[in-house]
Amino acid sequence: ELVSLLNCLGRLASGVLQDHLARLWSLPRSSHFMGTAVLYLFACILLVLGPALLDSLVLMRVMLGLIAVAYGANWTILVASLHENFGPECCVAFNVVATQMAVSVCVLSATTGAFYDSAGDAQGDTAGCLGDGCFHGAFLTASCVALVALALAVRLHIEASRRRCPRTLPAFPGRP
């Protein structure tokens, strides 16, 4: 329930934020991918560096909530960004990206399972894995994926800003 609610909140907040920042600072809609990548990366790094945090159910829910908000926001950003870049013919691009997201979830789920099984085998437990090290490899992999996503989002922002304002940077409040 919590994940679904925060996913919905991410979608709603992202739509409002996109429209507001597009008008206020002339940011391309695709620039919002940087924000979601930072949320993913922040949550994943906390999961990698703070095994003691895993003992706290409240902190785990907060990190899961951040990931749910970012995931929901990505779907709103995706449609608006594709429409901004491809116009009304963005349907094929949307289907390609949606398929890629489904494949990514399958691959990362299998990777997570492999890391979990490997940690359980290292413990000598055939029934499963116990402790905070069970998902460490998966969290580390997710952090690397989030870092790559952030780098790609920055690149996308730079390219979209060049197309939008080829000779000037986007106007920010207080900048002439």
Side-chain angles (χ1 to χ4, degrees):
E1 292 177 17
L2 178 66
V3 172
S4 296
L5 179 66
L6 291 173
N7 185 302
C8 178
L9 179 67
R11 290 175 191 231
L12 294 173
S14 173
V16 171
L17 193 62
Q18 279 184 65
D19 291 340
H20 180 69
L21 293 179
R23 277 194 311 272
L24 184 65
W25 290 344
S26 300
L27 283 177
R29 296 192 187 284
S30 56
S31 298
H32 296 272
F33 285 118
M34 290 186 302
T36 60
V38 166
L39 281 176
Y40 279 132
L41 186 58
F42 177 71
C44 290
I45 286 174
L46 283 178
L47 289 169
V48 168
L49 297 179
L53 296 177
L54 296 175
D55 293 336
S56 171
L57 188 57
V58 173
L59 290 176
M60 278 298 287
R61 286 184 178 174
V62 168
M63 289 180 271
L64 180 61
L66 287 175
I67 292 170
V69 166
Y71 186 77
N74 269 344
W75 284 104
T76 304
I77 294 167
L78 178 64
V79 174
S81 177
L82 288 173
H83 188 271
E84 186 175 74
N85 290 311
F86 297 105
E89 295 81 28
C90 68
C91 297
V92 171
F94 175 79
N95 289 329
V96 168
V97 172
T99 301
Q100 176 272 329
M101 289 179 101
V103 169
S104 296
V105 167
C106 288
V107 169
L108 290 174
S109 293
T111 304
T112 299
F115 279 119
Y116 180 84
D117 291 342
S118 176
D121 291 344
Q123 289 180 353
D125 189 359
T126 58
C129 185
L130 298 173
D132 56 14
C134 297
F135 291 101
H136 184 75
F139 294 149
L140 190 58
T141 301
S143 296
C144 292
V145 169
L147 188 61
V148 169
L150 179 58
L152 292 173
V154 169
R155 168 80 186 211
L156 180 63
H157 167 72
I158 291 168
E159 292 299 319
S161 295
R162 282 186 190 150
R163 281 194 312 266
R164 193 174 194 140
C165 303
R167 295 184 186 207
T168 62
L169 293 173
F172 287 92
R175 181 182 285 174

